[in-house]
Amino acid sequence: MAQPISDRRDVDFVLHEQMEVTRLTDNETFAEFNKKTIDMIVSEARSLAIKEILPTQEPGDAGCTFDGGSVTLPECYYRPWALFIEGEWLAMADTPEWGGQGMPKTVALAANEYFLGANVAFMLYHGLTHGAAKMVEEIGNEAQKKTYLKKLYTGEWAGTMLLTEACAGSDVGALETTAKKNPDGTYSLSGSKIFISGGEHNMTPNIIHPVLARIEGAPAGTRGISLFLVPKYRVNEDGSLGEFNDVVCTGIEHKMGINGSATCSLTLGSSGQCIGELLGEENKGMRNMFIMMNDARQLVGFQGFGVATASYMHALAYARDRVQGANLVNPKEGSVPIIQHPDVRRQLLEMKANVDAMRSLIYFSGICHDQVKLAEDEETRMEYAQLLEVLTPVIKGYVTDKANEVCGHGVQIYGGYGYCRDFPVEQLLRDSRIFQIYEGTNGIQAMDLLGRKVGMNKGKPFMAFLARIKKTIDEAKKVESLAPLAGKLESVYTRYNEVVVSLATAAMGAKVQSAFAQSHPLLTATGDLTFAWLLLWRALTAEKALAGKPKKKDLSFYDGQVKTCAFYINNTLAVTLGRLAAIESMDDAVIGMSEESFGSK
C-alpha cells in the first residue's frame, strides 16, 4: 500500500540520523522525550492525520457558507477538530503551564507535517490560533495571559491576525482602523479588515483577534501603529463570555484554493461597541506583530511543504500503478507502469529532491528553535535566533515557490486526470498557490533577504550561515564518493559569495533599484544553495550509514539519498550558475523601461 502524505522512512531519517534529535534529551528540559516517545508521537500524529483529517480534504474543498454575518465550516471538520483538541496537538512545543506539552519544536514539526499534508485548510485555524497565543505569551500582561492564554493553547478558543485593509495590504502603515482610549483604559476600535483567515466561524465559542490600529493622534505610518486584543465576545472577570463585541463578518472570499479556510471581511465598531485591550506598548504594534509574523512566515513555508509532500506521495503512487506505453528499451514487453519512462522519472526526482530538502530545512529550523530555548548563554541563543532570521525568507519564499512547482509536477504526472477534480493533485496545486502571497509576498521576502538579512549585525549571522554550508562541503570532500559533488557545490558556493557582495554593495549605492530588481533571483539562488547543502548533508549522513553495514532493506533508501543529491547538484546548480551571472550583470531594463513601454493603455 502506498504511503499517504509523507514518507515515514524519510521523516525518521531526518529526525534521528540527520538532525540527531535525541541529542536534545541530554538537556533536562527535554529529558522525557527519548526515541521511543518521539516515534510514538509521530505515529499518533500520522494515525490521526490519515484516519480523521485526510478524509476532510476533498469534501472540505466545497468551502464555507456565509449567512447574515455567520460563517459555517464544512460539516466534516467537526469530528477531527474535536479529536485534534482532545489530543492536545495545538501547543505541542509550548509550556505545560499554559496548556502545552513542552516537547521539542523539531518533534512538533514532524507531527505537524502529517496534519498539514492531510488538509492544510483545516490546519490554518490551528496555526493562527497558536500564533495569537504566542503573541499573548510574549508581550501580554499577567491579566491577559490569565484570561486568554490557556484557552487559546488548548484550542477552546480560536485566534486570528487582523492586519490587512483594502487600502493597506503590504503597506501596513497605510491602515485606517482607529482606536480611541476610554476612561477605563480600554479602547474603542473602528475600521474594516479584509483577507482574515478564520475571522469568523462556528467551531469555537469565542475568537480572539489581535488587531493593528492607530490610536487617535498617533504618528503616521508604521511608527504610530499599536496592537490590540479584540475578542469576538467580551470576557467577564470570571472568564465567562459576555456581550457580543461588535466584530461583524460582512462576507467571505471565494478563492482559488484552501476553500475550507474561511477568508473573511470584518468590520469593527460599526455600532460603536467594539472594545479592545492594548497588547504591549502604544505605537509598538508593528514591532510586536513581528513576534507573530516571523513564526507565521516560517509556518507558511511549512504549509507549502505540507502540500508538496502530499502531492509527491500521490504522484509516486500513481506512477507506480498507472500502466501506459512501452519501456523505451524493451518495447516488445508491452505496456509498463509510467515510472519506467525517463521523463516521468525526471519529474519524480525533481519532486523528491525538493521535498527532501524542504523537510531537512524545516526540521533544521526546529533544531534552531530548540537550541534558542536550551541555550545557557546569550551568545549561543543569539547565534541560533539570528540563524533563524536569516533562513526565514528562504523558508517562506523559496520553499513556497518550489512547493508550487512540485505540485505542478504532480498534476503533470497524472496527465489529463491530474487536471480533473476527481484526483487530489488538482486541489493540492490550487491550495499551494496562496503560500507565495501569504504573510508578505515572496517579492517582499526577497527584499528582506537582500535589504536586511545579508547585512544584519554587520553581516555576521549571514556569514555564519554560509560557514555551515562550507563545513559540510569540507566534510563531504573527504568521502570519495561525494568529493566530486562537494567540489561542484564549492564552486557555486564561491561564486555565490562573490555575487552577494557585489549585489549588496550596489544596493547601497546609486543603482539601488536595479539591485533590488535582482532580489528575487538572489532569493532563488540562495534557496538553490541551501537545498544543495541540505541534500549533501543527507548524502553524507547516508554514506556514514552505509559504511556501518545497514540492514538490507535500508540499502536502497541510503543509495537514494546519494543519487538525489547528485541529481540536484548536477542539474539545478548548473542553472544557478547562470542565474548568478545574470544577477551580477544587473541588467537595467527593468528599471530603465518606461511604464508606457510595458504596453498600451
Side-chain angles (χ1 to χ4, degrees):
M1 180 180 175
Q3 287 205 55
I5 304 174
S6 292
D7 186 334
R8 178 60 190 270
R9 179 65 184 89
D10 200 70
V11 169
D12 291 342
F13 170 75
V14 179
L15 271 179
H16 296 302
E17 298 179 68
Q18 186 181 22
M19 300 299 158
E20 299 178 297
V21 70
T22 52
R23 283 191 173 190
L24 297 171
T25 64
D26 293 341
N27 188 290
E28 185 180 349
T29 303
F30 297 134
E32 64 183 287
F33 295 97
N34 57 28
K35 185 178 185 301
K36 183 178 180 181
T37 301
I38 291 169
D39 290 345
M40 182 188 69
I41 290 168
V42 177
S43 293
E44 288 297 318
R46 182 178 186 272
S47 177
L48 177 62
I50 293 170
K51 293 178 181 178
E52 301 290 345
I53 301 176
L54 186 58
T56 69
Q57 171 82 339
E58 183 182 350
D61 192 41
C64 307
T65 303
F66 173 76
D67 183 18
S70 297
V71 176
T72 302
L73 303 191
E75 182 67 27
C76 60
Y77 279 10
Y78 287 84
R79 175 180 163 83
W81 185 295
L83 291 172
F84 189 88
I85 298 307
E86 182 184 323
E88 300 180 349
W89 294 105
L90 195 148
M92 285 180 273
D94 299 288
T95 175
E97 178 187 359
W98 299 111
Q101 294 195 50
M103 71 176 66
K105 174 83 170 182
T106 315
V107 178
L109 289 171
N112 270 313
E113 174 177 331
Y114 281 100
F115 298 142
L116 290 170
N119 188 342
V120 72
F122 172 82
M123 287 301 298
L124 274 164
Y125 298 98
H126 304 295
L128 286 161
T129 298
H130 183 272
K134 197 68 180 173
M135 191 180 301
V136 174
E137 183 178 11
E138 292 285 336
I139 60 172
N141 58 41
E142 289 305 311
Q144 289 168 339
K145 291 178 183 179
K146 184 178 178 181
T147 300
Y148 299 106
L149 200 49
K150 193 163 187 176
K151 290 184 181 295
L152 287 168
Y153 272 148
T154 59
E156 182 178 343
W157 293 350
T160 63
M161 179 165 59
L162 272 61
L163 283 76
T164 308
E165 301 180 10
C167 62
S170 297
D171 182 12
V172 180
L175 65 78
E176 296 178 350
T177 298
T178 61
K180 181 179 180 180
K181 194 167 186 177
N182 299 317
D184 64 356
T186 63
Y187 291 79
S188 295
L189 278 84
S190 177
S192 297
K193 300 288 185 176
I194 62 171
F195 296 153
I196 308 304
S197 297
E200 168 60 22
H201 57 77
N202 61 334
M203 294 297 286
T204 59
N206 206 4
I207 303 173
I208 311 304
H209 305 288
V211 180
L212 287 182
R214 195 183 314 279
I215 297 173
E216 290 184 344
T222 56
R223 292 188 305 112
I225 293 176
S226 299
L227 182 61
F228 301 87
L229 275 179
V230 179
K232 174 181 175 180
Y233 289 97
R234 297 177 196 169
V235 183
N236 298 321
E237 288 189 11
D238 63 359
S240 62
L241 297 185
E243 300 174 56
F244 178 67
N245 198 28
D246 200 10
V247 180
V248 178
C249 180
T250 56
I252 58 175
E253 302 299 333
H254 303 284
K255 309 183 296 289
M256 177 179 179
I258 59 165
N259 291 312
S261 171
T263 304
C264 304
S265 299
L266 299 177
T267 296
L268 293 78
S270 58
S271 300
Q273 299 297 315
C274 182
I275 304 298
E277 304 174 51
L278 183 67
L279 184 60
E281 301 176 54
E282 288 188 7
N283 302 332
K284 302 295 184 183
M286 282 302 295
R287 184 191 69 182
N288 291 334
M289 182 60 79
F290 266 93
I291 294 170
M292 186 175 181
M293 184 68 76
N294 285 327
D295 278 350
R297 286 175 171 175
Q298 292 164 28
L299 175 59
V300 171
F302 194 13
Q303 290 165 338
F305 163 60
V307 294
T309 182
S311 184
Y312 175 55
M313 288 289 98
H314 283 299
L316 179 60
Y318 184 80
R320 284 172 169 158
D321 291 341
R322 172 65 167 163
V323 176
Q324 188 84 175
N327 185 290
L328 204 60
V329 295
N330 297 305
K332 293 182 180 179
E333 293 182 4
S335 297
V336 296
I338 62 173
I339 197 171
Q340 294 188 24
H341 299 319
D343 190 58
V344 173
R345 295 174 72 85
R346 176 191 61 80
Q347 290 184 82
L348 286 171
L349 198 43
E350 285 267 8
M351 297 175 81
K352 174 178 166 53
N354 281 290
V355 166
D356 285 0
M358 289 176 198
R359 181 174 291 115
S360 291
L361 176 58
I362 286 165
Y363 286 23
F364 178 68
S365 77
I367 293 290
C368 291
H369 277 285
D370 290 328
Q371 292 296 348
V372 168
K373 185 173 184 177
L374 299 179
E376 296 180 356
D377 58 86
E378 183 62 14
E379 184 180 350
T380 302
R381 192 190 72 81
M382 287 300 295
E383 174 191 350
Y384 284 99
Q386 291 181 344
L387 181 55
L388 269 171
E389 286 197 58
V390 169
L391 288 173
T392 295
V394 179
I395 294 171
K396 194 283 175 186
Y398 184 78
V399 166
T400 58
D401 281 345
K402 288 299 174 183
N404 190 244
E405 287 183 24
V406 166
C407 291
H409 283 305
V411 169
Q412 192 71 18
I413 287 171
Y414 271 73
Y417 289 127
Y419 197 66
C420 300
R421 295 198 174 184
D422 303 303
F423 294 87
V425 289
E426 180 270 345
Q427 183 183 342
L428 291 168
L429 178 59
R430 286 188 288 107
D431 287 349
S432 75
R433 188 58 184 87
I434 186 59
F435 303 125
Q436 293 166 285
I437 300 171
Y438 261 171
E439 306 303 345
T441 66
N442 286 358
I444 289 173
Q445 306 308 312
M447 293 176 69
D448 179 50
L449 176 67
L450 177 60
R452 290 188 64 246
K453 301 305 168 59
V454 169
M456 184 176 66
N457 194 14
K458 298 181 180 179
K460 292 177 182 178
F462 191 74
M463 295 307 295
F465 158 63
L466 293 176
R468 285 178 177 269
I469 298 176
K470 186 62 165 63
K471 182 180 178 182
T472 302
I473 291 171
D474 290 342
E475 286 183 35
K477 285 167 69 175
K478 298 173 185 176
V479 179
E480 184 178 356
S481 60
L482 298 180
L485 297 175
K488 287 185 177 183
L489 177 53
E490 186 172 37
S491 297
V492 177
Y493 170 87
T494 301
R495 186 79 179 101
Y496 175 86
N497 275 269
E498 296 169 352
V499 172
V500 165
V501 171
S502 174
L503 193 64
T505 302
M508 294 185 290
K511 298 191 72 175
V512 57
Q513 291 195 83
S514 295
F516 274 94
Q518 298 296 333
S519 61
H520 193 274
L522 178 68
L523 174 62
T524 302
T526 307
D528 291 347
L529 182 68
T530 303
F531 275 24
W533 162 53
L534 293 163
L535 293 171
L536 185 62
W537 181 3
R538 277 171 162 263
L540 191 58
T541 305
E543 286 288 11
K544 290 176 182 177
L546 287 168
K549 297 181 180 180
K551 295 177 182 178
K552 186 177 180 180
K553 66 176 183 178
D554 286 327
L555 292 175
S556 60
F557 174 83
Y558 290 130
D559 182 62
Q561 297 301 313
V562 177
K563 285 186 169 59
T564 301
C565 175
F567 172 81
Y568 191 89
I569 288 177
N570 289 329
N571 290 274
T572 300
L573 292 193
V575 178
T576 307
L577 283 171
R579 181 174 286 112
L580 289 169
I583 292 170
E584 191 174 49
S585 71
M586 220 162 32
D587 179 76
D588 280 331
V590 171
I591 303 304
M593 196 161 97
S594 69
E595 290 184 21
E596 289 76 13
S597 296
F598 279 94
S600 302
K601 292 184 178 180

